[in-house]
Amino acid sequence: MNTKPFSTVLGLVALLTFAAPAFSAGGGALQHADVNIRDIAAIQRGAKLFVNYCFSCHSASFMRYNRLAEDLNLDEDLVMENLVFADVKIGETMEIAMRPDDAGNWLGKVPPDLSLASRSRGADWLYTYLLTFYQDESGGWNNQLLENASMPNVFWQLQGIQKPVYATHDGHEVIDHLTLAEPGLQSPEEFESSVRDLVTFMEYLGEPAKVKRKNIGVWVLLFLALFALVSYALKAEYWRDVH
Ligand code: HEC
């Protein structure tokens, strides 16, 4: 038998499976975000962090406030009070007021829309990115995953200030790890948990139907299991007459 087509297909599948995360990865090892998309409370806390810390620069223009209210089991008035600071209506999308041209001038780069960031980068990338901001020798912010990122560490008050510790590899100075030079308002564990909440929200943002899909999935599996039992009983009943 000629197995060539089969092995070619197998090779392609393997390539696509393993290459996909590689495309989205940056430099450095990724930390595991370990998000649980069914944890609605975590998504709610993440949404609050998002509008307080990210939404001044980044839009999430695929998301409407009323969809947020519905998916997160929140009262629409509560959403208007806690998550909406601009003069907008509940049915509008999460756009920001800053104009792209201004943003580009102020920051050097236009902050991208974050609706699909979790899809393009993956949860682990986002988690690692948000945890690895540090202050470099110039006193400015830098990021271990996205070198020379134009984004400041918006969480510095919560996280504190991290500084790099260098090591020499093959004659090059590289960052070995980051240390907390100045503690922030949250302990490292508390801060990791905040960032996990935020990334959980961003996962939800990337695919709002995922929460429902996962919940429905459980019921579908239960139904199938029950259905299998019933059909087995039915089969046994029919075959009793045949034997
Ligand atoms: C002061 C404005 C500002 C704030 C606030 C801000 N960002 Fe950014 N962000 C930027 C800019 C500018 C970039 C582009 C960085 C670059 O490519 O150099 C960026 C890039 C990013 C990226 C990388 C996108 C990519 O795939 O390359 C992510 C993810 C991100 N921001 C998430 C966040 C999150 C989450 C928050 C809130 C905790 C936040 N940002 C708050 C300005 C901001």
Side-chain angles (χ1 to χ4, degrees):
M1 188 180 107
N2 180 7
T3 57
K4 203 151 181 227
F6 180 68
S7 53
T8 312
V9 169
L10 207 67
L12 271 178
V13 169
L15 188 77
L16 287 175
T17 312
F18 296 112
F23 289 136
S24 54
L30 295 185
Q31 303 179 41
H32 288 294
D34 234 354
V35 299
N36 173 11
I37 194 69
R38 295 173 64 197
D39 186 347
I40 298 287
I43 302 180
Q44 288 175 353
R45 290 192 299 268
K48 184 132 203 187
L49 287 169
F50 184 84
V51 294
N52 280 315
Y53 288 94
C54 321
F55 197 39
S56 46
C57 293
H58 294 279
S59 55
S61 53
F62 292 2
M63 178 54 68
R64 283 176 198 283
Y65 292 107
N66 52 0
R67 162 115 214 209
L68 205 62
E70 192 190 323
D71 286 347
L72 304 186
N73 304 328
L74 293 171
D75 199 57
E76 290 197 351
D77 292 336
L78 211 69
V79 168
M80 287 306 278
E81 253 166 56
N82 288 289
L83 299 180
V84 185
F85 305 128
D87 183 22
V88 298
K89 304 219 167 56
I90 188 87
E92 290 184 37
T93 55
M94 298 180 74
E95 300 282 1
I96 49 171
M98 189 159 62
R99 293 207 316 267
D101 282 354
D102 291 338
N105 288 339
W106 290 330
L107 299 158
K109 222 168 181 182
V110 182
D113 186 276
L114 292 183
S115 304
L116 297 176
S118 67
R119 296 268 202 109
S120 59
R121 292 296 202 176
D124 290 351
W125 192 95
L126 294 174
Y127 181 72
T128 311
Y129 174 65
L130 293 168
L131 287 178
T132 57
F133 277 93
Y134 64 90
Q135 198 175 41
D136 61 23
E137 291 70 27
S138 68
W141 294 113
N142 208 329
N143 187 277
Q144 210 179 350
L145 207 52
L146 194 69
E147 219 181 314
N148 298 324
S150 332
M151 176 173 145
N153 184 8
V154 294
F155 278 137
W156 74 272
Q157 278 169 315
L158 292 188
Q159 185 186 25
I161 297 176
Q162 295 192 114
K163 298 244 162 132
V165 175
Y166 293 93
T168 318
H169 270 292
D170 302 326
H172 294 289
E173 277 234 309
V174 292
I175 296 178
D176 187 62
H177 62 276
L178 303 175
T179 58
L180 197 59
E182 264 179 52
L185 294 170
Q186 294 190 329
S187 72
E189 292 75 31
E190 284 169 340
F191 182 65
E192 276 165 24
S193 161
S194 298
V195 171
R196 181 169 303 114
D197 290 344
L198 178 58
V199 173
T200 313
F201 171 72
M202 291 175 78
E203 274 277 295
Y204 155 77
L205 208 55
E207 194 190 344
K210 200 172 188 173
V211 181
K212 283 211 177 94
R213 182 158 64 73
K214 292 242 167 165
N215 283 327
I216 293 171
V218 173
W219 289 106
V220 170
L221 287 180
L222 279 177
F223 170 78
L224 285 178
L226 201 72
F227 189 72
L229 279 180
V230 172
S231 23
Y232 185 78
L234 200 65
K235 173 200 167 263
E237 182 61 30
Y238 283 154
W239 279 83
R240 217 174 34 182
D241 298 337
V242 179
H243 286 313

